[in-house]
Amino acid sequence: MENIGDALQLMVVGMGTVFVILMTVIYLGKGLISLVNRYAPEEAAAKKPAVAQAAQVDSLTREIIAEAVKAATGGKGKVESIIAK
């Protein structure tokens, strides 16, 4: 029975140590994220230049795309716009 007591004590100490180390990693990670966001914020995304003239999509292509969206979404999807390059 002495071995069971030693085993339980060792298990509790080991699990406690792992818990403390994991919590330390979590809070240090959160702190690092806060510091990076405060002192090195993400640069604003550069706006894409406007397309001078959008290419026209013929009606057959529009119908094919609409049917593909309908089939893929079970009739719940809707094509609002098509941008051709």
Side-chain angles (χ1 to χ4, degrees), residues 67-85:
E67 287 298 319
V69 169
K70 183 178 178 182
T73 61
K76 296 181 182 178
K78 179 181 176 185
V79 179
E80 293 182 357
S81 66
I82 301 172
I83 299 174
K85 292 183 178 183

Side-chain angles (χ1 to χ4, degrees), residues 41-47:
E42 189 174 319
E43 295 179 10
K47 292 184 179 180

